[in-house]
Amino acid sequence: MRKVVVIGGGITGMSTMHYLQKQAKEQGLDLALTLIEKDAQIGGKMVTKQRDGYLMEVGADSIVSRHASVRKLIEELQLEDRVVYNDTGVSYILTENQLHAIPEDSVFGIPMNEQALNKSTLISEEGKKAVLQDLEKTELPFTTNHSVGEFLTYYLGEEIVQKQVAPVLSGVYSGDLNKLTIASTLPYLFEYKNEFGSIMRGFEANKAFYQENAKKKFISFKNGLVELFERIEETLENATILKNTSVELLKQDTNGYKIQIDTGEWLDADEVVLAVPHQVAQKLLKEEPFQRDFEELQTGSIITVYLAYDLPNDVLPADGTGYIVSSGNDVDCNACTWTSRKWRHTSKDDKLLIRMFYKKNNPRFEEFCQMTNDELAQIARQDIEKSLKIIDEPTWIDVKKWFDAMPIYNLQHKQAVERIEKQMVKYHPHVHLAGCSYYGVGIGLCIQNGEEVATRVMNQFIQRQREFV
């Protein structure tokens, strides 16, 4: 029986386990699967908490529904009847203490057509004229390795990028747009420009797709994202999941690998999957060439604060789901989600639940990191009072700090990952790197990566069988 050990119980690791089992059954191969997770619960950065009738996602709050891997996994796990969708609504940008709606028919703040552009209250007439240059500039002096900021500014102009696009994209990808590549953020924009000669024409040609997905853009489950992990765990057979367990050492031997866990016990493996943050992989892969390239990979940090109020949801602006902070404001936060408005299942009594975000690119972030939870709660309360004019006392506040947890795909990221992959083939051909540290931000991409890694592991076993025969 072949043995596979997956280290890391986040979405990539659990997806890998699911697809290893699925493919092993399809190919009639006996596999013994073990997953090692350092925390008491699986889920990684997807953590569901319940408190006093409220449901909180203290990490990722939802899954983008349009990625093909998402729907596929949900169907395989027979979770369709547990799915809930976000309430559609207006997202705002807070600029100079005023909320400006991001127009419908916009994607990450990028207008899909002239009508959406003209609805923007953030962009001047001169700025709107600059956007229309996209229809005339049909040349393509870029590759997908150029920065997405440079690319968008060239075609759409600086004003809309700085005022309407950058606040949204920086919130999603946790970085400076001029240091993030097209390939790692919005590669389809490059394809639109190449095929249609215009970003907006590309959006217009795919308008039906975006409009359909906008209605049900995000998904969760009735009891939160934890349901996805609970279902994967309960469907695994001939599998061992070790929680509250850390890996101390990864050692290669003539028969594969030996893995020492924090109890002192050694586990054997034919193939190993490292579905962990790159900092953890760096400690386990001790060869010097890895160290230099791992240092090239960057991460971001975030502090989030949930505040529950004994107030109805209708104290919020009508049909809104939250705001992103731009420039010239009195608030300290980077963004604010009106959780109970966006996700009706998070508040049983239709009472107000708000989530505030403070990110590493915030000018005060280092100061925030030194604050107590009570001090951070006070900052969040002040931000809500300034931006939403809510002066009532919250019934409770929950603070969560994620330090160096979110990958940032800078311009050197792809090359660093390629060098690491070459070293893996040389030093550890039966160890597989997986996860968002390398291969894409977003739960859909992580699920896809889990399936790809499972396929790669299975191919290793099939190849060995052929060589043995």
Side-chain angles (χ1 to χ4, degrees), residues 82-124:
R82 302 297 301 170
V83 169
V84 293
Y85 294 94
N86 64 295
D87 278 15
T88 56
V90 177
S91 295
Y92 293 89
I93 293 177
L94 185 70
T95 298
E96 297 180 353
N97 299 317
Q98 296 293 322
L99 291 173
H100 295 263
I102 301 174
E104 289 185 51
D105 289 344
S106 297
V107 178
F108 295 116
I110 304 169
M112 295 172 59
N113 48 47
E114 277 193 64
Q115 290 76 19
L117 173 63
N118 290 330
K119 289 178 183 177
S120 175
T121 60
L122 271 172
I123 312 305
S124 68

Short mmCIF file of all heavy atoms in Angstrom, two decimals, residues 82-124:
data_model
loop_
_atom_site.label_atom_id
_atom_site.label_comp_id
_atom_site.label_asym_id
_atom_site.label_seq_id
_atom_site.Cartn_x
_atom_site.Cartn_y
_atom_site.Cartn_z
N ARG A 82 -26.75 22.85 0.93
CA ARG A 82 -26.24 23.61 2.06
C ARG A 82 -25.71 24.99 1.64
O ARG A 82 -25.37 25.81 2.50
CB ARG A 82 -25.11 22.84 2.76
CG ARG A 82 -25.51 21.46 3.26
CD ARG A 82 -26.58 21.55 4.31
NE ARG A 82 -26.14 22.34 5.47
CZ ARG A 82 -26.94 22.74 6.44
NH1 ARG A 82 -28.24 22.47 6.41
NH2 ARG A 82 -26.48 23.46 7.46
N VAL A 83 -25.67 25.25 0.35
CA VAL A 83 -25.07 26.48 -0.17
C VAL A 83 -25.98 27.68 0.11
O VAL A 83 -27.21 27.59 -0.03
CB VAL A 83 -24.80 26.36 -1.68
CG1 VAL A 83 -24.43 27.71 -2.29
CG2 VAL A 83 -23.68 25.35 -1.93
N VAL A 84 -25.36 28.80 0.50
CA VAL A 84 -26.06 30.08 0.57
C VAL A 84 -25.29 31.09 -0.27
O VAL A 84 -24.07 31.00 -0.40
CB VAL A 84 -26.22 30.59 2.01
CG1 VAL A 84 -27.13 29.69 2.81
CG2 VAL A 84 -24.86 30.72 2.70
N TYR A 85 -26.02 32.03 -0.84
CA TYR A 85 -25.40 33.07 -1.68
C TYR A 85 -25.48 34.43 -0.98
O TYR A 85 -26.38 34.67 -0.18
CB TYR A 85 -26.11 33.15 -3.03
CG TYR A 85 -25.94 31.93 -3.89
CD1 TYR A 85 -26.90 30.91 -3.87
CD2 TYR A 85 -24.84 31.76 -4.70
CE1 TYR A 85 -26.76 29.77 -4.64
CE2 TYR A 85 -24.69 30.63 -5.49
CZ TYR A 85 -25.64 29.63 -5.45
OH TYR A 85 -25.50 28.50 -6.22
N ASN A 86 -24.53 35.28 -1.33
CA ASN A 86 -24.56 36.63 -0.78
C ASN A 86 -25.77 37.39 -1.31
O ASN A 86 -26.22 37.17 -2.43
CB ASN A 86 -23.28 37.38 -1.17
CG ASN A 86 -23.15 37.59 -2.68
OD1 ASN A 86 -23.03 36.63 -3.43
ND2 ASN A 86 -23.17 38.83 -3.11
N ASP A 87 -26.29 38.29 -0.49
CA ASP A 87 -27.30 39.22 -0.98
C ASP A 87 -26.62 40.21 -1.92
O ASP A 87 -25.58 40.77 -1.58
CB ASP A 87 -27.93 39.98 0.19
CG ASP A 87 -29.01 39.16 0.87
OD1 ASP A 87 -29.07 37.96 0.62
OD2 ASP A 87 -29.78 39.74 1.65
N THR A 88 -27.20 40.42 -3.07
CA THR A 88 -26.62 41.39 -3.99
C THR A 88 -26.83 42.79 -3.44
O THR A 88 -27.79 43.07 -2.74
CB THR A 88 -27.26 41.30 -5.38
OG1 THR A 88 -28.68 41.46 -5.23
CG2 THR A 88 -26.97 39.96 -6.03
N GLY A 89 -25.91 43.65 -3.72
CA GLY A 89 -26.01 45.00 -3.20
C GLY A 89 -24.88 45.86 -3.70
O GLY A 89 -24.01 45.41 -4.44
N VAL A 90 -24.90 47.09 -3.28
CA VAL A 90 -23.94 48.08 -3.75
C VAL A 90 -22.70 48.05 -2.85
O VAL A 90 -22.80 48.03 -1.62
CB VAL A 90 -24.56 49.49 -3.70
CG1 VAL A 90 -23.54 50.54 -4.12
CG2 VAL A 90 -25.79 49.55 -4.59
N SER A 91 -21.53 48.05 -3.47
CA SER A 91 -20.28 48.25 -2.74
C SER A 91 -19.87 49.70 -2.92
O SER A 91 -20.06 50.29 -3.99
CB SER A 91 -19.19 47.32 -3.27
OG SER A 91 -19.51 45.97 -3.03
N TYR A 92 -19.31 50.26 -1.87
CA TYR A 92 -18.95 51.67 -1.89
C TYR A 92 -17.44 51.86 -1.76
O TYR A 92 -16.73 50.98 -1.26
CB TYR A 92 -19.63 52.41 -0.73
CG TYR A 92 -21.13 52.51 -0.83
CD1 TYR A 92 -21.95 51.52 -0.30
CD2 TYR A 92 -21.74 53.59 -1.45
CE1 TYR A 92 -23.33 51.60 -0.38
CE2 TYR A 92 -23.13 53.69 -1.53
CZ TYR A 92 -23.91 52.69 -0.99
OH TYR A 92 -25.27 52.78 -1.06
N ILE A 93 -16.98 53.03 -2.18
CA ILE A 93 -15.63 53.49 -1.87
C ILE A 93 -15.77 54.75 -1.02
O ILE A 93 -16.52 55.67 -1.37
CB ILE A 93 -14.82 53.79 -3.16
CG1 ILE A 93 -14.56 52.49 -3.92
CG2 ILE A 93 -13.49 54.47 -2.82
CD1 ILE A 93 -13.84 52.68 -5.24
N LEU A 94 -15.09 54.76 0.11
CA LEU A 94 -15.12 55.91 1.00
C LEU A 94 -13.98 56.85 0.63
O LEU A 94 -12.80 56.51 0.76
CB LEU A 94 -14.98 55.47 2.45
CG LEU A 94 -15.11 56.55 3.52
CD1 LEU A 94 -16.54 57.07 3.60
CD2 LEU A 94 -14.65 56.04 4.88
N THR A 95 -14.33 58.03 0.12
CA THR A 95 -13.35 59.02 -0.29
C THR A 95 -13.74 60.37 0.29
O THR A 95 -14.88 60.81 0.12
CB THR A 95 -13.27 59.12 -1.83
OG1 THR A 95 -12.85 57.85 -2.36
CG2 THR A 95 -12.27 60.18 -2.27
N GLU A 96 -12.80 61.00 0.97
CA GLU A 96 -13.05 62.29 1.60
C GLU A 96 -14.32 62.24 2.44
O GLU A 96 -15.17 63.13 2.40
CB GLU A 96 -13.11 63.40 0.55
CG GLU A 96 -11.77 63.57 -0.18
CD GLU A 96 -11.79 64.66 -1.23
OE1 GLU A 96 -12.88 65.22 -1.48
OE2 GLU A 96 -10.74 64.94 -1.79
N ASN A 97 -14.43 61.14 3.18
CA ASN A 97 -15.52 60.92 4.15
C ASN A 97 -16.90 60.81 3.50
O ASN A 97 -17.92 60.94 4.18
CB ASN A 97 -15.54 62.03 5.21
CG ASN A 97 -14.25 62.08 6.00
OD1 ASN A 97 -13.73 61.04 6.39
ND2 ASN A 97 -13.74 63.28 6.23
N GLN A 98 -16.94 60.54 2.20
CA GLN A 98 -18.20 60.35 1.49
C GLN A 98 -18.22 58.97 0.85
O GLN A 98 -17.21 58.51 0.31
CB GLN A 98 -18.38 61.42 0.40
CG GLN A 98 -18.50 62.84 0.93
CD GLN A 98 -19.78 63.06 1.73
OE1 GLN A 98 -20.84 62.54 1.38
NE2 GLN A 98 -19.66 63.82 2.81
N LEU A 99 -19.38 58.31 0.92
CA LEU A 99 -19.53 57.00 0.28
C LEU A 99 -19.92 57.18 -1.19
O LEU A 99 -20.92 57.85 -1.49
CB LEU A 99 -20.59 56.18 1.00
CG LEU A 99 -20.25 55.69 2.40
CD1 LEU A 99 -21.45 55.03 3.05
CD2 LEU A 99 -19.06 54.74 2.38
N HIS A 100 -19.15 56.60 -2.08
CA HIS A 100 -19.43 56.63 -3.51
C HIS A 100 -19.68 55.20 -4.00
O HIS A 100 -18.83 54.32 -3.80
CB HIS A 100 -18.26 57.23 -4.30
CG HIS A 100 -18.00 58.67 -3.99
ND1 HIS A 100 -18.49 59.69 -4.77
CD2 HIS A 100 -17.31 59.25 -2.98
CE1 HIS A 100 -18.11 60.85 -4.27
NE2 HIS A 100 -17.40 60.62 -3.18
N ALA A 101 -20.82 54.98 -4.60
CA ALA A 101 -21.15 53.64 -5.07
C ALA A 101 -20.27 53.24 -6.24
O ALA A 101 -20.04 54.03 -7.16
CB ALA A 101 -22.62 53.58 -5.49
N ILE A 102 -19.77 52.01 -6.21
CA ILE A 102 -19.09 51.45 -7.38
C ILE A 102 -20.19 51.05 -8.36
O ILE A 102 -21.06 50.25 -8.04
CB ILE A 102 -18.24 50.23 -7.00
CG1 ILE A 102 -17.19 50.62 -5.96
CG2 ILE A 102 -17.58 49.63 -8.24
CD1 ILE A 102 -16.40 49.45 -5.41
N PRO A 103 -20.17 51.63 -9.56
CA PRO A 103 -21.29 51.40 -10.48
C PRO A 103 -21.49 49.93 -10.82
O PRO A 103 -20.54 49.14 -10.87
CB PRO A 103 -20.89 52.20 -11.73
CG PRO A 103 -19.91 53.22 -11.25
CD PRO A 103 -19.17 52.55 -10.13
N GLU A 104 -22.75 49.56 -11.04
CA GLU A 104 -23.03 48.24 -11.58
C GLU A 104 -22.33 48.10 -12.93
O GLU A 104 -21.99 49.07 -13.58
CB GLU A 104 -24.54 48.06 -11.77
CG GLU A 104 -25.31 47.94 -10.46
CD GLU A 104 -26.77 47.63 -10.72
OE1 GLU A 104 -27.05 46.68 -11.48
OE2 GLU A 104 -27.62 48.36 -10.18
N ASP A 105 -22.15 46.87 -13.35
CA ASP A 105 -21.41 46.58 -14.59
C ASP A 105 -19.97 47.07 -14.47
O ASP A 105 -19.38 47.58 -15.44
CB ASP A 105 -22.09 47.19 -15.82
CG ASP A 105 -23.38 46.48 -16.19
OD1 ASP A 105 -23.60 45.36 -15.70
OD2 ASP A 105 -24.18 47.06 -16.93
N SER A 106 -19.41 46.91 -13.29
CA SER A 106 -17.99 47.14 -13.07
C SER A 106 -17.40 45.87 -12.47
O SER A 106 -18.07 45.16 -11.71
CB SER A 106 -17.74 48.30 -12.10
OG SER A 106 -18.24 49.52 -12.63
N VAL A 107 -16.16 45.59 -12.81
CA VAL A 107 -15.45 44.44 -12.26
C VAL A 107 -14.19 44.96 -11.59
O VAL A 107 -13.33 45.54 -12.26
CB VAL A 107 -15.10 43.41 -13.36
CG1 VAL A 107 -14.32 42.24 -12.77
CG2 VAL A 107 -16.37 42.92 -14.06
N PHE A 108 -14.09 44.79 -10.29
CA PHE A 108 -12.98 45.36 -9.51
C PHE A 108 -12.84 46.86 -9.76
O PHE A 108 -11.75 47.40 -9.79
CB PHE A 108 -11.66 44.66 -9.84
CG PHE A 108 -11.62 43.21 -9.44
CD1 PHE A 108 -11.51 42.21 -10.39
CD2 PHE A 108 -11.70 42.85 -8.10
CE1 PHE A 108 -11.47 40.87 -10.01
CE2 PHE A 108 -11.66 41.52 -7.71
CZ PHE A 108 -11.55 40.53 -8.67
N GLY A 109 -13.96 47.53 -9.95
CA GLY A 109 -13.94 48.96 -10.19
C GLY A 109 -13.68 49.35 -11.63
O GLY A 109 -13.73 50.54 -11.98
N ILE A 110 -13.42 48.39 -12.50
CA ILE A 110 -13.16 48.66 -13.91
C ILE A 110 -14.50 48.64 -14.65
O ILE A 110 -15.21 47.63 -14.62
CB ILE A 110 -12.22 47.59 -14.53
CG1 ILE A 110 -10.92 47.51 -13.74
CG2 ILE A 110 -11.94 47.90 -16.00
CD1 ILE A 110 -10.07 46.31 -14.11
N PRO A 111 -14.88 49.73 -15.31
CA PRO A 111 -16.18 49.75 -16.00
C PRO A 111 -16.20 48.80 -17.18
O PRO A 111 -15.24 48.73 -17.96
CB PRO A 111 -16.32 51.21 -16.44
CG PRO A 111 -14.92 51.72 -16.53
CD PRO A 111 -14.14 51.00 -15.46
N MET A 112 -17.32 48.10 -17.35
CA MET A 112 -17.46 47.18 -18.46
C MET A 112 -17.88 47.90 -19.73
O MET A 112 -17.75 47.36 -20.84
CB MET A 112 -18.49 46.10 -18.11
CG MET A 112 -18.07 45.20 -16.98
SD MET A 112 -19.38 44.08 -16.43
CE MET A 112 -19.74 43.18 -17.93
N ASN A 113 -18.41 49.13 -19.59
CA ASN A 113 -18.90 49.87 -20.76
C ASN A 113 -18.98 51.35 -20.39
O ASN A 113 -18.74 51.75 -19.24
CB ASN A 113 -20.26 49.33 -21.21
CG ASN A 113 -21.23 49.18 -20.04
OD1 ASN A 113 -21.37 50.08 -19.22
ND2 ASN A 113 -21.89 48.03 -19.97
N GLU A 114 -19.34 52.17 -21.37
CA GLU A 114 -19.41 53.62 -21.15
C GLU A 114 -20.51 53.98 -20.15
O GLU A 114 -20.37 54.95 -19.39
CB GLU A 114 -19.67 54.35 -22.48
CG GLU A 114 -18.42 54.60 -23.30
CD GLU A 114 -18.66 55.57 -24.43
OE1 GLU A 114 -18.98 56.75 -24.16
OE2 GLU A 114 -18.56 55.14 -25.60
N GLN A 115 -21.60 53.23 -20.15
CA GLN A 115 -22.70 53.52 -19.23
C GLN A 115 -22.23 53.40 -17.77
O GLN A 115 -22.53 54.26 -16.93
CB GLN A 115 -23.88 52.58 -19.48
CG GLN A 115 -24.61 52.81 -20.78
CD GLN A 115 -23.85 52.28 -22.00
OE1 GLN A 115 -22.96 51.45 -21.87
NE2 GLN A 115 -24.22 52.78 -23.18
N ALA A 116 -21.48 52.34 -17.49
CA ALA A 116 -20.95 52.16 -16.14
C ALA A 116 -19.95 53.25 -15.79
O ALA A 116 -19.93 53.76 -14.67
CB ALA A 116 -20.30 50.78 -16.02
N LEU A 117 -19.15 53.63 -16.77
CA LEU A 117 -18.17 54.70 -16.55
C LEU A 117 -18.87 56.01 -16.19
O LEU A 117 -18.48 56.72 -15.25
CB LEU A 117 -17.31 54.88 -17.80
CG LEU A 117 -16.35 56.07 -17.83
CD1 LEU A 117 -15.31 55.94 -16.72
CD2 LEU A 117 -15.69 56.18 -19.20
N ASN A 118 -19.92 56.33 -16.93
CA ASN A 118 -20.61 57.61 -16.73
C ASN A 118 -21.36 57.68 -15.41
O ASN A 118 -21.66 58.77 -14.91
CB ASN A 118 -21.57 57.88 -17.90
CG ASN A 118 -20.82 58.19 -19.18
OD1 ASN A 118 -19.72 58.73 -19.16
ND2 ASN A 118 -21.41 57.83 -20.32
N LYS A 119 -21.65 56.52 -14.81
CA LYS A 119 -22.36 56.50 -13.53
C LYS A 119 -21.44 56.78 -12.35
O LYS A 119 -21.91 57.03 -11.24
CB LYS A 119 -23.05 55.15 -13.34
CG LYS A 119 -24.26 54.93 -14.23
CD LYS A 119 -24.85 53.54 -13.99
CE LYS A 119 -26.03 53.27 -14.94
NZ LYS A 119 -26.55 51.89 -14.75
N SER A 120 -20.15 56.72 -12.58
CA SER A 120 -19.21 56.90 -11.48
C SER A 120 -19.26 58.33 -10.95
O SER A 120 -19.15 59.30 -11.72
CB SER A 120 -17.79 56.56 -11.93
OG SER A 120 -16.87 56.86 -10.89
N THR A 121 -19.38 58.46 -9.64
CA THR A 121 -19.35 59.79 -9.02
C THR A 121 -17.95 60.12 -8.49
O THR A 121 -17.73 61.20 -7.94
CB THR A 121 -20.36 59.87 -7.85
OG1 THR A 121 -20.02 58.87 -6.88
CG2 THR A 121 -21.77 59.65 -8.36
N LEU A 122 -17.03 59.21 -8.67
CA LEU A 122 -15.67 59.41 -8.20
C LEU A 122 -14.76 60.05 -9.25
O LEU A 122 -13.79 60.72 -8.91
CB LEU A 122 -15.05 58.06 -7.79
CG LEU A 122 -15.22 57.59 -6.36
CD1 LEU A 122 -14.72 56.17 -6.22
CD2 LEU A 122 -14.49 58.50 -5.40
N ILE A 123 -15.09 59.83 -10.51
CA ILE A 123 -14.18 60.19 -11.60
C ILE A 123 -14.64 61.48 -12.27
O ILE A 123 -15.82 61.65 -12.59
CB ILE A 123 -14.11 59.05 -12.65
CG1 ILE A 123 -13.89 57.70 -11.95
CG2 ILE A 123 -13.00 59.32 -13.65
CD1 ILE A 123 -12.68 57.65 -11.06
N SER A 124 -13.70 62.39 -12.51
CA SER A 124 -14.00 63.66 -13.18
C SER A 124 -14.28 63.41 -14.66
O SER A 124 -14.00 62.33 -15.19
CB SER A 124 -12.82 64.62 -13.05
OG SER A 124 -11.71 64.14 -13.79
#
